[in-house]
Structure formats: structure tokens, C-alpha cells
Amino acid sequence: MLKDRVKPLDAILATAERKSLHRTLGAFQLMLFGIGCIIGTGIFVLTAAGAQKAGPGLMLAFAIAGAVCVVAALCYAEIASMIPVAGSAYTYSYATVGEFIAWTVGWALVLEYAIAASAVSVGWSGYFTGTILNDTFGIALPPWLTAGPLAFGGAPGGLINLPAMVIALLVTWLLMIGTSESAKVNAVLVLIKVTALTAFIALTLNSSQFDASHFNPFLPAGVFGGWGSGVGAVGAAATIFFAYVGFDAVSTAAEETKNPQRNVPIGLVGSLLFCTLFYILVAAGAIGTIGGQPIMGPGGIPFPAGSEELARQCAMPQHADALVCSNEALAHVLRQIGFGAIGNVLGYAAILALPSVILVLLFAQTRIFFVMSRDGLLPEGLSKVHPKWKTPYVVTAITGVVVAVGAAFFPVGQLADIANAGTLYAFAMVAVAVMVLRRNDPARVRSFRVPALIVIGPATIIGCAFLFLNLPSEAMLVLPIWTLIGCLIYFGYSRRNSHLGRGIIETPEIEVAITLEPDIPGIADRGRD
């Protein structure tokens, strides 16, 4: 029964053509879109969480996570160019392994994008309170307004991360009312981030304080910390994987891409390779200058990132300047080596650029809802389009509130791990979809073919499963619990209302003509081709 509904690929493509989103993105814009989403909280903030898990082995963690992303990106490149429609891994699964699995994938993507947006909001808050308030204006907000409760891994005296909550709600409002950001604006934001990271690399690697001894021991927690421990180089890779997931959002924009057969593979692989190089160099610069050894707990095991125990340790004077305790890691490093003004500039870059990442993630999440609603698996009212704003305002508002609550009470490390759980499942299912399509539809035109799919496909699945099992056990448990909730919704509502299950192959037009304005960085103003 669970494999009885596979949506014909030709029907998916026909439906997308009848109710398509306007195609405006070229290859360069799509690559900027990917870079704009990839370079964000992952590198600006999670450098600290990764160092707490692996120490200098963070560099190896970036390589491990990047390797998994490369094989996943190759699978994405083939199937996204074949199926250039909104919905990402959800749509690919629907066309290959059936409706139920597709539902679980879509449900996981909802978790991924929402929690990831919360994590980015928390990352933005760290730079805002540190760079803008403390270092620029000398204003120190009380701890109860800048961090979640200590029991949730926040900080002593913490209650609510107000700046994170506010930025999440503000971006949600902007996305609802359709305030456009043109491709030129996104290009400026990408330039700001790339310039800031380039300056960081140049200053740290050439600093007189750069000391090779900071890399010893290179693997204080070992390569493999144990299943569910979340420590060691592999445990850090499972967290750092969050720094790469922006390339998945590129595939959600495939339906809005000109010549997707050519441009989607370029955007996916190009943005990933570009960012990987930066990540490794940034990690080397940060650790080489001020060190990145983790704070060890009992038995010589690092305290868990985002834990109450680590928060208590970071509140002690002897750890106040440690990389692993910073909420604005890169700006903190520059201040420690005598470049306070440039550190503040880097903080300004993060403050300006990270809201665009939140917006992209919220956009991708609402479009997943849109496609699932288009298939009848969710009520059409959830993706109702506002008559004036031309945006799916209902689901955007609901998502924004959930994102704001998550950002207000949880630390960035915990949020990133939870988001990764859903991401890794979705990526593995993309590899499955590619292999199934190769077997079931070998004659279909493929402008990009994964080389040695018999190796790359299984490597993607094994790599994703391996990283998932190296997440902290608490983060691993979130996915099955979330999936169970999704199963109750599917069998209670979605299965009987599915358009495919009711024999409706080409989904009829939704009540309001869908002319969604994808007001996200990297998408040009309407009317331009």
C-alpha cells in the first residue's frame, strides 16, 4: 500500500508548466543564490560549535561534510535538471518511490527549513548584540533578553533571545508582503560576505599570532567519538553539514530557472565548490591564531555543544575569550588578534547578510508547502495566495511564528543538529530517486548524468546515514518523532485527499491563479528576462 502511488513524471512536468512560477534565473544568478544561502550562519557562527566538538579537527570535519555534499550535489544536479519544478526532494520522491515516502521527505524538509531559519536567526542575534550593541554603542542587554534558558543550553540568567525572535518575525513580515530584493541586491550581499571572509583569511593566515602549535593536538576528541555522541571530527562534520545545505535551496528554485538543464547543475556544484574552499581556509585562520581546543569534561570528552554544562563553563573568566564560547566567532577572532575595527566590519557584514539567508530558507519552506498543497496532501487554504501581496501569506505567517519561537529559546548548535537530521534524510532519498529513475526511465533525456552512479548513489546514501548516526542522540530522536507525527497526518488526512489517489493526475487549478512572487535574493525583478 505504501508504494501504490507513484506520480507519473510527465504529469508532474505538465502540471508545473500549467501552473508554473515565472522563469527568471540564469546560471550566474542561481550560483549567487546558492552562495548567498550557503555562506551564512554555518561559517559565521558554527565555527565555534564545530571546534568544541573536534578542536583543530574542524578542518577535517569540513572536508568530510564537503565530501558527502559533493556526491549529494551530483545526484541533485541530475534530477533537478530533469525535473525542473518546485518541491525539491519531495517532488523527486513522488515521481520515483511513491506518495508515502514523498510525504515523509516533504515533512522532513518542512522541519529542515524551519529549524534552519531559527538557527540563522540565533546566529544573527549573536553578531547584533556583540558588534552593534556592545562594540559600537556600548549597550549591554541583560542576559535574560539575549539567550534562551540555561536548561535549554542558553546562558546563565537567560530567558529569551529577543533579537533572534525579532529578526525572524521581521523577515517573515517582509516575505508576506512581498518586498522584493532584486538580483543586484543579492549580488551586493554575496560580495559583502565573500569580501569579509577573504579579509578574514588574509589577516589571520598572515598574522604574527598564527602559530602551528595551536593545531596540536589536531584531534583532541579523535576522528570518531562514537555513535550518538556528536563529538570528534565526524561528530563535528555532522553539525558542520549545516554550513552546506544552501545548495538544496537552489534546487527548490529550479522551476524559476531559465534553461534549467544547463543552469541547475552549474548553480549547484559551482556554489558548493566555491564555498568549501572558503570554509577550510577560514577554519585554518581562526584556529591558527587564537586556538580552537574544546573545553573538556569528565573523562577527557568535550562538553556537548549547546549544552547547559558548556554554557556554565563559558561563563567562567578563564574561558571567556575561547573560540568555542563565542557567539560571533569570526569577529571575535579578529578582535583577539588586534583587528577590532575590521572584526566589527565583519560583524556588520554578517548582520546585513544573514537576514537574506533567513528569507531564502523561509521561502523554500513555504514553497514545499505550496507543492504539497498543490498535490492535495495539505489543505489548499494553507497556501492561499494573498490577493494584493501575491504571496502564500497563511503558511508564511504560521512558519514565521514557529521559527521565531525556536530562535527565542534554543542555542544555534542544537538547532543546527535538528535541521541536519531532516536534511540528511532528504538528501539520501534524492540519491534513491536518481537510481530508481535510471532504472525505470533510462531513455529520458538527461542533460547532466552522474558519473559512476553505481558508486556515487550508494555513497550518498551511506554518507548521509553515517553523518546522521554521528549527530547527538537527542537530535537523532527528533526525526523519527517528527516523522511519526507526519504519518498520523498522512493517514488521517492526506491519503484520502490526495489528488493522485482520487485519480486526478494533472492537478486542477487552485482557486487563485498562482503568480507567486518569489521575493528572494537572487531572483530578478518581475518583467525582466
Side-chain angles (χ1 to χ4, degrees):
M1 180 183 74
L2 300 183
K3 298 181 180 179
D4 62 346
R5 296 179 181 178
V6 177
K7 191 170 187 180
L9 182 53
D10 290 331
I12 292 175
L13 296 175
T15 298
E17 286 301 320
R18 290 182 59 207
K19 302 202 310 283
S20 63
L21 302 173
H22 191 59
R23 296 186 185 275
T24 59
L25 289 173
F28 185 66
Q29 285 177 299
L30 198 62
M31 187 177 295
L32 288 179
F33 181 24
I35 294 171
C37 192
I38 294 171
I39 296 181
T41 296
I43 189 63
F44 280 102
V45 179
L46 285 182
T47 301
Q52 174 59 24
K53 291 170 177 281
L58 173 65
M59 296 174 65
L60 177 59
F62 274 123
I64 294 170
V68 175
C69 282
V70 166
V71 291
L74 290 173
C75 294
Y76 259 102
E78 174 169 328
I79 200 165
S81 61
M82 284 178 63
I83 311 177
V85 299
S88 185
Y90 160 77
T91 300
Y92 310 151
S93 300
Y94 213 159
T96 54
V97 292
E99 182 178 274
F100 175 70
I101 298 298
W103 165 266
T104 64
V105 171
W107 193 241
L109 287 174
V110 168
L111 175 71
E112 169 199 340
Y113 287 125
I115 299 301
S118 295
V120 178
S121 299
V122 176
W124 181 89
S125 174
Y127 278 91
F128 176 77
T129 56
T131 299
I132 296 293
L133 296 184
N134 286 343
D135 287 278
T136 302
F137 296 108
I139 299 173
L141 290 179
W144 66 274
L145 285 179
T146 59
L150 180 62
F152 294 167
L159 176 63
I160 183 172
N161 192 329
L162 184 62
M165 185 176 185
V166 169
I167 192 63
L169 293 175
L170 178 60
V171 171
T172 299
W173 176 70
L174 291 174
L175 192 60
M176 285 174 60
I177 66 174
T179 301
S180 297
E181 288 188 69
S182 70
K184 292 181 180 179
V185 172
N186 179 65
V188 172
L189 293 176
V190 172
L191 180 62
I192 289 173
K193 288 190 283 190
V194 171
T195 301
L197 292 181
T198 301
F200 179 88
I201 292 168
L203 292 173
T204 54
L205 293 184
N206 291 290
S207 171
S208 60
Q209 297 186 45
F210 188 94
D211 187 347
S213 66
H214 289 154
F215 294 93
N216 185 35
F218 186 72
L219 294 167
V223 174
F224 178 67
W227 304 115
S229 68
V231 300
V234 178
T239 295
I240 290 298
F241 189 81
F242 180 85
Y244 291 92
V245 299
F247 80 81
D248 177 38
V250 175
S251 73
T252 69
E255 194 171 338
E256 297 157 72
T257 304
K258 295 181 293 185
N259 190 13
Q261 285 71 24
R262 170 184 175 273
N263 293 338
V264 169
I266 294 174
L268 283 168
V269 179
S271 58
L272 180 63
L273 293 178
F274 180 90
C275 295
T276 299
L277 175 62
F278 263 63
Y279 286 175
I280 293 176
L281 292 175
V282 167
I287 293 169
T289 50
I290 70 170
Q293 295 297 330
I295 299 175
M296 294 296 188
I301 299 175
F303 286 110
S307 66
E308 179 179 352
E309 295 86 353
L310 180 62
R312 293 185 187 279
Q313 291 292 320
C314 286
M316 297 181 180
Q318 64 266 34
H319 298 309
D321 294 332
L323 174 67
V324 299
C325 291
S326 176
N327 291 325
E328 41 169 357
L330 303 190
H332 173 73
V333 169
L334 292 180
R335 293 190 192 108
Q336 290 294 104
I337 63 174
F339 295 103
I342 300 177
N344 285 341
V345 171
L346 189 145
Y348 299 145
I351 291 164
L352 289 173
L354 292 183
S356 70
V357 182
I358 303 170
L359 193 146
V360 168
L361 291 167
L362 286 173
F363 164 82
Q365 199 266 11
T366 56
R367 271 47 180 184
I368 294 293
F369 263 118
F370 163 64
V371 177
M372 294 174 77
S373 176
R374 184 168 68 182
D375 290 332
L377 300 182
L378 290 171
E380 292 183 0
L382 283 177
S383 53
K384 184 178 179 181
V385 178
H386 194 280
K388 178 181 178 181
W389 300 334
K390 305 300 182 184
T391 59
Y393 67 104
V394 175
V395 70
T396 302
I398 294 172
T399 299
V401 171
V402 173
V403 167
V405 171
F409 296 106
F410 294 95
V412 64
Q414 288 186 9
L415 292 168
D417 286 337
I418 295 171
N420 285 350
T423 305
L424 290 165
Y425 173 61
F427 285 5
M429 291 311 303
V430 168
V432 172
V434 171
M435 292 187 290
V436 170
L437 273 180
R438 282 281 189 97
R439 183 191 65 187
N440 294 347
D441 198 356
R444 189 171 294 276
V445 175
R446 290 168 169 82
S447 61
F448 176 84
R449 296 177 66 90
V450 178
L453 181 61
I454 193 172
V455 175
I456 298 298
T460 301
I461 297 170
I462 293 171
C464 289
F466 182 65
L467 290 184
F468 176 82
L469 293 173
N470 277 279
L471 289 169
S473 55
E474 297 83 359
M476 281 195 291
L477 287 173
V478 171
L479 183 61
I481 293 172
W482 179 253
T483 302
L484 178 60
I485 295 171
C487 289
L488 295 176
I489 296 174
Y490 176 77
F491 290 108
Y493 173 86
S494 304
R495 186 169 178 83
R496 70 172 182 270
N497 288 283
S498 163
H499 288 156
L500 184 60
R502 292 157 55 196
I504 304 172
I505 301 300
E506 285 197 31
T507 310
E509 294 296 331
I510 294 179
E511 178 181 331
V512 180
I514 300 300
T515 56
L516 298 180
E517 294 291 330
D519 302 315
I520 59 175
I523 293 186
D525 294 336
R526 284 295 168 259
R528 299 179 185 175
D529 294 321

